[in-house]
Amino acid sequence: MSNPQQLRYTKEHEWLSDAEEGVATVGITEFAANALGDVVYAQLPEVGDTVTAGETCGELESTKSVSDLYSPVSGEVVASNQDVVDDPSLVNTAPFEGGWLFKVRVAGEPDDLLTADEYAAFSAGN
């Protein structure tokens, strides 16, 4: 499993792109998607919602379980991936591409985000 080097990661298994013009993209990692199994439902934050780093902002339901979605940063949601709502399996088939979950105008970022290598070491122990 290869985690893109340009992303940063949380210990809750979300990824975060670098902010472009203050907006970052959020998704879940391939590790999390595999652990969940086939995702059948996605409840994502809506445009205009305020999210807080480390707090629940949605959920993903799979054939195995329901998992909370945590925001890796604080800010305002500027886009929610309707394609994932319509076809939640995108989370499994393309977690780093078409399976992204939402975009947020970043207001604050925690200090404990992991690099790809740090995340790989962390997830290997889980």
Side-chain angles (χ1 to χ4, degrees), residues 49-69:
D49 286 354
T50 299
V51 294
T52 302
E55 293 191 7
T56 303
C57 62
E59 71 179 29
L60 297 173
E61 183 177 329
S62 72
T63 55
K64 292 181 181 178
S65 66
V66 174
S67 180
D68 287 332
L69 173 63

PDB file of all heavy atoms in Angstrom, residues 49-69:
ATOM      1  N   ASP A  49     -20.683  24.313   6.268  1.00  0.00           N
ATOM      2  CA  ASP A  49     -20.464  23.782   7.613  1.00  0.00           C
ATOM      3  C   ASP A  49     -19.078  24.192   8.110  1.00  0.00           C
ATOM      4  O   ASP A  49     -18.134  24.299   7.327  1.00  0.00           O
ATOM      5  CB  ASP A  49     -20.528  22.247   7.632  1.00  0.00           C
ATOM      6  CG  ASP A  49     -21.929  21.695   7.504  1.00  0.00           C
ATOM      7  OD1 ASP A  49     -22.906  22.480   7.518  1.00  0.00           O
ATOM      8  OD2 ASP A  49     -22.065  20.460   7.376  1.00  0.00           O
ATOM      9  N   THR A  50     -18.971  24.389   9.408  1.00  0.00           N
ATOM     10  CA  THR A  50     -17.674  24.619  10.034  1.00  0.00           C
ATOM     11  C   THR A  50     -17.228  23.309  10.659  1.00  0.00           C
ATOM     12  O   THR A  50     -17.994  22.657  11.360  1.00  0.00           O
ATOM     13  CB  THR A  50     -17.786  25.716  11.113  1.00  0.00           C
ATOM     14  OG1 THR A  50     -18.214  26.928  10.490  1.00  0.00           O
ATOM     15  CG2 THR A  50     -16.454  25.950  11.794  1.00  0.00           C
ATOM     16  N   VAL A  51     -15.991  22.915  10.378  1.00  0.00           N
ATOM     17  CA  VAL A  51     -15.425  21.693  10.947  1.00  0.00           C
ATOM     18  C   VAL A  51     -14.267  22.079  11.865  1.00  0.00           C
ATOM     19  O   VAL A  51     -13.639  23.120  11.684  1.00  0.00           O
ATOM     20  CB  VAL A  51     -14.960  20.705   9.855  1.00  0.00           C
ATOM     21  CG1 VAL A  51     -16.145  20.179   9.060  1.00  0.00           C
ATOM     22  CG2 VAL A  51     -13.940  21.334   8.918  1.00  0.00           C
ATOM     23  N   THR A  52     -14.029  21.222  12.858  1.00  0.00           N
ATOM     24  CA  THR A  52     -12.967  21.462  13.832  1.00  0.00           C
ATOM     25  C   THR A  52     -12.009  20.282  13.817  1.00  0.00           C
ATOM     26  O   THR A  52     -12.446  19.125  13.841  1.00  0.00           O
ATOM     27  CB  THR A  52     -13.567  21.640  15.241  1.00  0.00           C
ATOM     28  OG1 THR A  52     -14.495  22.727  15.203  1.00  0.00           O
ATOM     29  CG2 THR A  52     -12.478  21.935  16.268  1.00  0.00           C
ATOM     30  N   ALA A  53     -10.722  20.581  13.793  1.00  0.00           N
ATOM     31  CA  ALA A  53      -9.694  19.531  13.762  1.00  0.00           C
ATOM     32  C   ALA A  53      -9.916  18.531  14.899  1.00  0.00           C
ATOM     33  O   ALA A  53     -10.103  18.925  16.047  1.00  0.00           O
ATOM     34  CB  ALA A  53      -8.309  20.145  13.866  1.00  0.00           C
ATOM     35  N   GLY A  54      -9.935  17.252  14.527  1.00  0.00           N
ATOM     36  CA  GLY A  54     -10.075  16.178  15.503  1.00  0.00           C
ATOM     37  C   GLY A  54     -11.492  15.858  15.911  1.00  0.00           C
ATOM     38  O   GLY A  54     -11.715  14.922  16.680  1.00  0.00           O
ATOM     39  N   GLU A  55     -12.474  16.601  15.395  1.00  0.00           N
ATOM     40  CA  GLU A  55     -13.867  16.352  15.756  1.00  0.00           C
ATOM     41  C   GLU A  55     -14.622  15.684  14.609  1.00  0.00           C
ATOM     42  O   GLU A  55     -14.290  15.846  13.435  1.00  0.00           O
ATOM     43  CB  GLU A  55     -14.552  17.655  16.171  1.00  0.00           C
ATOM     44  CG  GLU A  55     -13.974  18.195  17.462  1.00  0.00           C
ATOM     45  CD  GLU A  55     -14.786  19.327  18.050  1.00  0.00           C
ATOM     46  OE1 GLU A  55     -15.899  19.636  17.551  1.00  0.00           O
ATOM     47  OE2 GLU A  55     -14.308  19.922  19.027  1.00  0.00           O
ATOM     48  N   THR A  56     -15.676  14.961  14.977  1.00  0.00           N
ATOM     49  CA  THR A  56     -16.504  14.244  14.008  1.00  0.00           C
ATOM     50  C   THR A  56     -17.208  15.236  13.084  1.00  0.00           C
ATOM     51  O   THR A  56     -17.740  16.248  13.538  1.00  0.00           O
ATOM     52  CB  THR A  56     -17.560  13.391  14.738  1.00  0.00           C
ATOM     53  OG1 THR A  56     -16.890  12.513  15.630  1.00  0.00           O
ATOM     54  CG2 THR A  56     -18.402  12.592  13.770  1.00  0.00           C
ATOM     55  N   CYS A  57     -17.219  14.899  11.782  1.00  0.00           N
ATOM     56  CA  CYS A  57     -17.895  15.774  10.818  1.00  0.00           C
ATOM     57  C   CYS A  57     -18.736  14.977   9.819  1.00  0.00           C
ATOM     58  O   CYS A  57     -19.294  15.545   8.887  1.00  0.00           O
ATOM     59  CB  CYS A  57     -16.886  16.656  10.098  1.00  0.00           C
ATOM     60  SG  CYS A  57     -15.672  15.755   9.122  1.00  0.00           S
ATOM     61  N   GLY A  58     -18.824  13.673  10.003  1.00  0.00           N
ATOM     62  CA  GLY A  58     -19.618  12.829   9.110  1.00  0.00           C
ATOM     63  C   GLY A  58     -19.415  11.382   9.484  1.00  0.00           C
ATOM     64  O   GLY A  58     -18.851  11.073  10.546  1.00  0.00           O
ATOM     65  N   GLU A  59     -19.899  10.492   8.600  1.00  0.00           N
ATOM     66  CA  GLU A  59     -19.683   9.068   8.843  1.00  0.00           C
ATOM     67  C   GLU A  59     -19.692   8.290   7.543  1.00  0.00           C
ATOM     68  O   GLU A  59     -20.262   8.726   6.542  1.00  0.00           O
ATOM     69  CB  GLU A  59     -20.700   8.491   9.830  1.00  0.00           C
ATOM     70  CG  GLU A  59     -22.100   8.367   9.317  1.00  0.00           C
ATOM     71  CD  GLU A  59     -23.058   7.759  10.341  1.00  0.00           C
ATOM     72  OE1 GLU A  59     -22.843   7.914  11.558  1.00  0.00           O
ATOM     73  OE2 GLU A  59     -24.033   7.144   9.904  1.00  0.00           O
ATOM     74  N   LEU A  60     -19.027   7.156   7.600  1.00  0.00           N
ATOM     75  CA  LEU A  60     -19.006   6.212   6.489  1.00  0.00           C
ATOM     76  C   LEU A  60     -19.544   4.893   7.001  1.00  0.00           C
ATOM     77  O   LEU A  60     -19.140   4.424   8.063  1.00  0.00           O
ATOM     78  CB  LEU A  60     -17.581   6.027   5.964  1.00  0.00           C
ATOM     79  CG  LEU A  60     -16.920   7.273   5.378  1.00  0.00           C
ATOM     80  CD1 LEU A  60     -15.458   6.996   5.067  1.00  0.00           C
ATOM     81  CD2 LEU A  60     -17.654   7.752   4.139  1.00  0.00           C
ATOM     82  N   GLU A  61     -20.460   4.314   6.245  1.00  0.00           N
ATOM     83  CA  GLU A  61     -21.041   3.028   6.624  1.00  0.00           C
ATOM     84  C   GLU A  61     -20.611   1.994   5.597  1.00  0.00           C
ATOM     85  O   GLU A  61     -20.676   2.228   4.396  1.00  0.00           O
ATOM     86  CB  GLU A  61     -22.566   3.134   6.647  1.00  0.00           C
ATOM     87  CG  GLU A  61     -23.264   1.880   7.087  1.00  0.00           C
ATOM     88  CD  GLU A  61     -24.778   2.060   7.160  1.00  0.00           C
ATOM     89  OE1 GLU A  61     -25.242   3.166   7.452  1.00  0.00           O
ATOM     90  OE2 GLU A  61     -25.479   1.065   6.898  1.00  0.00           O
ATOM     91  N   SER A  62     -20.157   0.861   6.109  1.00  0.00           N
ATOM     92  CA  SER A  62     -19.734  -0.214   5.220  1.00  0.00           C
ATOM     93  C   SER A  62     -20.518  -1.473   5.542  1.00  0.00           C
ATOM     94  O   SER A  62     -21.341  -1.490   6.452  1.00  0.00           O
ATOM     95  CB  SER A  62     -18.234  -0.480   5.395  1.00  0.00           C
ATOM     96  OG  SER A  62     -17.991  -1.121   6.633  1.00  0.00           O
ATOM     97  N   THR A  63     -20.218  -2.516   4.799  1.00  0.00           N
ATOM     98  CA  THR A  63     -20.868  -3.799   5.063  1.00  0.00           C
ATOM     99  C   THR A  63     -20.407  -4.373   6.390  1.00  0.00           C
ATOM    100  O   THR A  63     -21.060  -5.254   6.938  1.00  0.00           O
ATOM    101  CB  THR A  63     -20.564  -4.798   3.926  1.00  0.00           C
ATOM    102  OG1 THR A  63     -19.135  -4.891   3.765  1.00  0.00           O
ATOM    103  CG2 THR A  63     -21.205  -4.343   2.624  1.00  0.00           C
ATOM    104  N   LYS A  64     -19.282  -3.858   6.937  1.00  0.00           N
ATOM    105  CA  LYS A  64     -18.745  -4.345   8.205  1.00  0.00           C
ATOM    106  C   LYS A  64     -19.160  -3.498   9.403  1.00  0.00           C
ATOM    107  O   LYS A  64     -19.394  -4.027  10.482  1.00  0.00           O
ATOM    108  CB  LYS A  64     -17.215  -4.371   8.170  1.00  0.00           C
ATOM    109  CG  LYS A  64     -16.615  -5.387   7.245  1.00  0.00           C
ATOM    110  CD  LYS A  64     -15.091  -5.309   7.352  1.00  0.00           C
ATOM    111  CE  LYS A  64     -14.406  -6.282   6.447  1.00  0.00           C
ATOM    112  NZ  LYS A  64     -12.943  -6.166   6.539  1.00  0.00           N
ATOM    113  N   SER A  65     -19.171  -2.154   9.227  1.00  0.00           N
ATOM    114  CA  SER A  65     -19.390  -1.283  10.378  1.00  0.00           C
ATOM    115  C   SER A  65     -19.708   0.145   9.942  1.00  0.00           C
ATOM    116  O   SER A  65     -19.695   0.464   8.765  1.00  0.00           O
ATOM    117  CB  SER A  65     -18.157  -1.274  11.278  1.00  0.00           C
ATOM    118  OG  SER A  65     -17.076  -0.668  10.593  1.00  0.00           O
ATOM    119  N   VAL A  66     -19.956   0.982  10.952  1.00  0.00           N
ATOM    120  CA  VAL A  66     -20.112   2.415  10.733  1.00  0.00           C
ATOM    121  C   VAL A  66     -18.906   3.086  11.375  1.00  0.00           C
ATOM    122  O   VAL A  66     -18.518   2.741  12.490  1.00  0.00           O
ATOM    123  CB  VAL A  66     -21.420   2.937  11.368  1.00  0.00           C
ATOM    124  CG1 VAL A  66     -21.505   4.452  11.251  1.00  0.00           C
ATOM    125  CG2 VAL A  66     -22.626   2.278  10.720  1.00  0.00           C
ATOM    126  N   SER A  67     -18.296   4.023  10.662  1.00  0.00           N
ATOM    127  CA  SER A  67     -17.108   4.694  11.164  1.00  0.00           C
ATOM    128  C   SER A  67     -17.313   6.203  11.097  1.00  0.00           C
ATOM    129  O   SER A  67     -17.775   6.733  10.078  1.00  0.00           O
ATOM    130  CB  SER A  67     -15.899   4.294  10.316  1.00  0.00           C
ATOM    131  OG  SER A  67     -14.741   4.934  10.785  1.00  0.00           O
ATOM    132  N   ASP A  68     -16.965   6.889  12.195  1.00  0.00           N
ATOM    133  CA  ASP A  68     -17.010   8.340  12.189  1.00  0.00           C
ATOM    134  C   ASP A  68     -15.917   8.893  11.291  1.00  0.00           C
ATOM    135  O   ASP A  68     -14.845   8.308  11.157  1.00  0.00           O
ATOM    136  CB  ASP A  68     -16.817   8.893  13.602  1.00  0.00           C
ATOM    137  CG  ASP A  68     -18.033   8.690  14.489  1.00  0.00           C
ATOM    138  OD1 ASP A  68     -19.162   8.626  13.960  1.00  0.00           O
ATOM    139  OD2 ASP A  68     -17.853   8.614  15.717  1.00  0.00           O
ATOM    140  N   LEU A  69     -16.209  10.025  10.690  1.00  0.00           N
ATOM    141  CA  LEU A  69     -15.252  10.760   9.873  1.00  0.00           C
ATOM    142  C   LEU A  69     -14.808  11.968  10.687  1.00  0.00           C
ATOM    143  O   LEU A  69     -15.647  12.706  11.198  1.00  0.00           O
ATOM    144  CB  LEU A  69     -15.922  11.203   8.565  1.00  0.00           C
ATOM    145  CG  LEU A  69     -15.155  12.120   7.642  1.00  0.00           C
ATOM    146  CD1 LEU A  69     -13.902  11.423   7.142  1.00  0.00           C
ATOM    147  CD2 LEU A  69     -16.027  12.542   6.479  1.00  0.00           C
TER     148      LEU A  69
END
